[in-house]
Structures are given as structure tokens and as C-alpha cells.
Amino acid sequence: MWHARTKGARQAGQLQVVGIIQEQHPDRCRLYAQWQQFDWPILHDPINAIGARAVPMFVAIDEAGIVVDSVLSLDRLDAFLSRPPATAESAVGIRPPSREQLYAQGEAMWDSAAAKKSAEAWMQAGDALLLWGKPADLDRAWVAYQRGLELAPDHAPLQFRLGVAHRMRFDLLDDPDAFAQAAAAWNRALELDPNHYIYRRRIQQYGPRLMKPYPFYDWIQQARAEIRARGETPVPLVAEPTGAEVASPQTSWTAAPAARENPDPQGRIDRDGGTLVQARVVVVPATIPPGSTTRIHVILRPKAGVFWNNEVDPPVVWIDLPAGWEATEIETSTPVPSQAETREVRSYDFELKTPPAATDRTLSGFALIYICENRGGQCLFRRIDFEIPLRFVTAEK
Amino acid sequence: MHPPRPLGGDRRSGGLRKGMPRWAAWIATGCMLTAACWPPLSPCTAAAEPRAQYAPRTEQQHPSLVLPRIDDGSPASLEQWRGKKVLLIHFASW
């Protein structure tokens, strides 16, 4: 709506629209902007460096950089546009520093943080490395946030940033454990600041349907189709949304319609043992009250040189559910590709409803997969075992 | 949605040195021009202070910020659009 309403003013050079997005993956917003044909600059703030408590927000700023309306609404847009131009001396554009300059400052901040022994200084050093460094700098950003948390364990913004850095390591550095670490850090950030809308949305993005306000990325398929229909190529995504990220909200619990049979009740299928496929489990939220629901992400990643065999049945995922526990159907957002052999990371999502008296425990599960040791090489049928750690908060806490 | 609490903003002058880029002046005065050192009221030198939340105040300078553009990751700051009216939209694609 704002895009359409400001079109004339933008084209007349009367207005500069600038977006700032509060989300993890900038490529998803690039796809959204391509779909909506946004032609204005959008800046990425994955770590919530500006300290926003909520989105959306619309701020009107005059030619001299002075805020004239901090909560602009559409009905006040024309009044903003018709204001006489500010004539202050400072109404001259200033080029931002280069990425290299900002990165160099980040390096200096690292030394400064070490000397100051301050959580805030470590956070600034981590921010500079994360925003302006290369993917290889993510580990140092993570270390900076960790050092800050050693000084201030209850620092919610540091916990949130730590989660962002972990998730970036999962997406960009193929660290299989980093998604679970991200979820744990975001969980802690929300515990520390339960009224923070941005932190809450991050948990809801990957969490169960009962806690979702809306589906997060259900627009992606429609966007791609419409972009292709225009003759364009959709912006590629670094990480396809998982089932949780496209799931619709629910107002009541819906378990899987019928109990399935264990596909390997006697455990006779050969175990892979982590040789060919790495299995990781992420629980979101990482801790829940007994009786509530949580979302389980089972992520299967072929090891180097190993390929899925797509010429046979897709993987089957099984969970051993104790009495009194319920689960939804297992969904996957990674359909089997048309090529015979592929190497994509596969994610399987489902939700658990826990009993009212549940206590900390670990559930077991497995996936049955067809996998090839190398391209064109021997293909095997294997069982991948995994565990689902479940942690509960109690009223006393 | 939670109503933003006001925080003290700096006035429009800025008190910057002449003859050097504004970003260099900020760095020289101890406050990095990165989102890492935002907002300007919690400068690097006040490292022990908790961060204020984003709450731009009417009739005051919008806080400085430098963030990467989503298209190429290059730095962008609001100051580069001085001389134009700016509509700043905080949003997410979800």
C-alpha cells in the first residue's frame, strides 16, 4: 500500500523511501521486493542493531535528517510531502564509509573490547564483524558475543545476536549444530525479554502452529510463479523455508489422523551410524511448559561425496511416541528432486503435544533412507537414528 | 506491538569538525559509524550502559545508522539521502 501511495512522489524526486528489514534472511526479502517490484533501497538489520521493538514502523524524516513524524500514517503522508523543504546547512547527502573501513573498525573494536572487558563493547565488535565481515568472520562474531555473555549472561540483545550468528553459520558455513544453538539462544533472549516482539517472532517462525500469528513465508511459491510469469528469474534463496516457516496458524491441536506402524520394529535395517548422513534435531521452542506443544525439525545432511538416491521411495521418518504423547503428521519442505542423485539438506518437521505431567526426557526416532556412497556408486538402504531432547519449564521457575 | 519509550536524542547540529568526512569525525570522536555503535546516545565509550531502544523523536535528528543493503551488502546510511524527504519503513517480508 505504501509502495503504491508513494509512487508519484518517488518518481517526481519528491521522496526517498528506505526500508529496514528485521529478519534473518536478506535473500527472502530480496525475493519479496522483486515480487512487489519495490524500486527503493532496503537495508538489512538481522541482529536488530537499531533496537527496534516491533515492526512495521513508518518514520518521516525531513531534508535535514530531522524526524517530523515518528509514527507516520497514510492519512498524514500528503501533509508530510507538502511540508516546505528544510533548508538547514546539513541538508546535503553524505557518503557512507566503505565496507573495508567498517570492517577495519570492527577489528579495532575487538582489541578495544578485550581491553575494556565490557559486554557492550564485545557486542559492538561482534556486530561489526557480522555485518561487514566475510562468512569466515562469523566464528569471530560468535566468539565476541560469547565473551560479552560471559560478562553479562542475562544480556538479551547479546543472546539474540548469538542466535543470529549461529543461524548464519548453519546457512552459510554448513555447521550442522548451529541451528539448534540458534534456537537455544533465541529462546533465552525471549525468556530475558518476554515482551520483545522481534525476539518472539523469531521463535514463532520456527515454532508450532499453535503459537503462530500467521504463516511466515507462505507467499514464496506465489511470488516465484508470478515473477516467472513476468519473464524474470526469481531471486535464489540461500535456505528454503522449512515446514514450520510456511505452516498456517492453528487455534486447536490436531494430531496425526491415524497411528502408523513402525517401519522397522525389530531394528533389522542396517544403521548408518553417521557415516553417510548427518542427522540433527532442533526443538523450537527449546523449553516449554508441560502440556504444551513444540515443533521438531529433523535435518538430514549427506556427508561429502554422498548423494540421495531419488529413483526409489522418499525417506520415511519415524518417532517412538510414549503413551500420552501426540504428534502431527511429518511434513517435508524439500520434495524429492527430479534428478536421480542430489545432495540437498532435507528437513522434516512435525509437532509434539506433551502430557500435562511431562518431565525432561529424550525421545527416539529414525529415518529410513536410500543413499549412494558417491555419484554413480553403490546405493544403500540405511536407518539413521536420532534423539529428540525435550526440556520443560515448571511453574516454580 | 509495544509503544516505544522515548529516549533522549541529539539535536540537529551534531557539532562535527569541518574539513573531514562526517563518518570520520564520528570515528575520531570515539563513536563508530556502524550499526554496532548505534544509537549515538550509547557511544562506545559508555560501554557499560544498557542500550536504548529505537524510538525516534519528533523534531530531533534521526539517529545515525549504517547497515548493509540487501541487494549487494554495501553500506548505506540515512545521511546519504540528506536533502530529500525520507520515508523510513521498518518491516519484514513475513
Side-chain angles (χ1 to χ4, degrees):
Chain A
M1 187 177 293
W2 285 86
H3 177 62
R5 278 290 303 274
T6 57
K7 184 176 181 180
R10 286 185 282 114
Q11 290 181 341
Q14 194 185 1
L15 178 69
Q16 176 67 53
V17 174
V18 179
I20 297 181
I21 56 159
Q22 294 290 332
E23 59 186 292
Q24 179 81 25
H25 297 98
D27 46 330
R28 295 181 185 177
C29 188
R30 283 180 62 205
L31 180 65
Y32 186 83
Q34 180 188 20
W35 178 38
Q36 298 293 321
Q37 299 181 303
F38 292 169
D39 52 2
W40 29 274
I42 300 175
L43 316 186
H44 186 211
D45 185 12
I47 51 180
N48 192 23
I50 68 169
R53 298 284 296 184
V55 289
M57 289 179 66
F58 305 91
V59 183
I61 304 168
D62 75 7
E63 292 83 348
I66 305 300
V67 175
V68 297
D69 195 332
S70 60
V71 284
L72 187 68
S73 57
L74 276 171
D75 61 349
R76 292 200 298 273
L77 177 63
D78 289 340
F80 170 53
L81 294 173
S82 61
R83 281 173 65 100
T87 54
E89 183 187 337
S90 57
V92 177
I94 302 162
R95 285 183 57 185
S98 70
R99 191 180 185 111
E100 290 72 25
Q101 289 164 331
L102 293 162
Y103 180 76
Q105 286 296 314
E107 292 281 8
M109 291 179 109
W110 181 283
D111 297 335
S112 168
K116 287 176 181 168
K117 295 182 177 162
S118 146
E120 197 77 12
W122 278 118
M123 185 163 75
Q124 291 163 5
D127 288 357
L129 290 165
L130 185 143
L131 290 175
W132 309 116
K134 296 181 171 59
D137 291 302
L138 282 173
D139 282 342
R140 293 179 64 216
W142 170 78
V143 168
Y145 295 143
Q146 283 283 20
R147 291 191 179 168
L149 284 166
E150 287 167 10
L151 296 167
D154 294 340
H155 196 298
L158 266 169
Q159 289 285 1
F160 180 76
R161 285 161 160 81
L162 184 68
V164 172
H166 278 312
R167 178 66 206 205
M168 290 176 79
R169 292 169 70 233
F170 178 80
D171 290 324
L172 303 176
L173 301 180
D174 289 339
D175 180 342
D177 296 315
F179 184 19
Q181 292 167 324
W186 288 329
N187 208 73
R188 181 70 182 137
L190 186 61
E191 282 175 357
L192 292 167
D193 191 350
N195 294 310
H196 202 297
Y197 176 97
I198 305 290
Y199 300 172
R200 185 167 297 277
R201 285 288 183 269
R202 197 59 55 90
I203 295 291
Q204 290 169 332
Q205 181 175 336
Y206 298 103
R209 293 175 183 224
L210 284 175
M211 72 186 304
K212 282 186 184 299
Y214 38 71
F216 278 68
Y217 290 102
D218 63 332
W219 53 267
I220 283 180
Q221 295 309 325
Q222 182 187 353
R224 282 174 169 155
E226 293 184 14
I227 289 167
R228 287 194 184 101
R230 295 201 301 248
E232 301 170 35
T233 303
V235 169
L237 300 185
V238 170
E240 284 294 317
T242 62
E245 293 179 280
V246 299
S248 300
Q250 282 183 331
T251 54
S252 60
W253 170 255
T254 306
R260 296 183 299 147
E261 289 192 8
N262 185 335
D264 185 25
Q266 297 172 319
R268 297 178 64 190
I269 309 296
D270 286 343
R271 265 67 164 183
D272 171 54
T275 308
L276 300 174
V277 172
Q278 218 166 28
R280 291 292 185 276
V281 173
V282 182
V283 182
V284 185
T287 55
I288 54 171
S292 60
T293 63
T294 191
R295 185 110 185 169
I296 313 298
H297 303 246
V298 178
I299 299 160
L300 304 178
R301 186 188 299 263
K303 291 209 164 177
V306 173
F307 291 80
W308 299 111
N309 178 1
N310 299 328
E311 294 182 318
V312 285
D313 298 332
V316 172
V317 178
W318 171 261
I319 314 298
D320 290 323
L321 272 185
W325 294 59
E326 295 181 27
T328 59
E329 293 279 15
I330 293 170
E331 308 162 8
T332 181
S333 55
T334 41
V336 175
S338 55
Q339 301 96 316
E341 295 175 340
T342 54
R343 287 188 31 78
E344 71 281 357
V345 175
R346 293 186 176 177
S347 178
Y348 299 86
D349 288 19
F350 63 97
E351 294 176 16
L352 279 179
K353 181 165 177 50
T354 63
T359 55
D360 290 359
R361 68 179 299 166
T362 299
L363 302 188
S364 300
F366 60 84
L368 300 180
I369 59 165
Y370 291 90
I371 197 84
C372 302
E373 290 180 316
N374 50 60
R375 190 181 289 281
Q378 187 179 22
C379 294
L380 307 165
F381 183 56
R382 286 287 182 268
R383 169 171 163 158
I384 314 287
D385 290 326
F386 53 81
E387 294 185 334
I388 305 168
L390 292 158
R391 303 288 174 263
F392 295 90
V393 290
T394 59
E396 290 74 34
K397 293 180 183 175
Chain B
M1 303 272 281
H2 303 280
R5 284 186 312 196
L7 77 153
D10 52 355
R11 289 284 173 180
R12 63 172 73 191
S13 64
L16 299 172
R17 302 177 201 175
K18 289 189 176 179
M20 64 192 302
R22 191 167 299 192
W23 66 264
W26 279 322
I27 291 171
T29 53
C31 190
M32 267 275 298
L33 180 59
T34 69
C37 193
W38 193 97
L41 282 192
S42 58
C44 305
T45 48
E49 293 297 315
R51 294 203 144 199
Q53 66 190 46
Y54 178 71
R57 295 182 69 178
T58 304
E59 298 305 323
Q60 296 199 1
Q61 195 86 41
H62 190 281
S64 297
L65 57 86
V66 183
L67 288 167
R69 295 174 65 125
I70 61 167
D71 45 4
D72 61 4
S74 63
S77 71
L78 286 182
E79 283 78 9
Q80 73 191 72
W81 292 293
R82 287 278 171 81
K84 291 183 175 182
K85 286 186 170 67
V86 171
L87 168 59
L88 184 58
I89 303 178
H90 299 265
F91 73 111
S93 68
W94 32 258

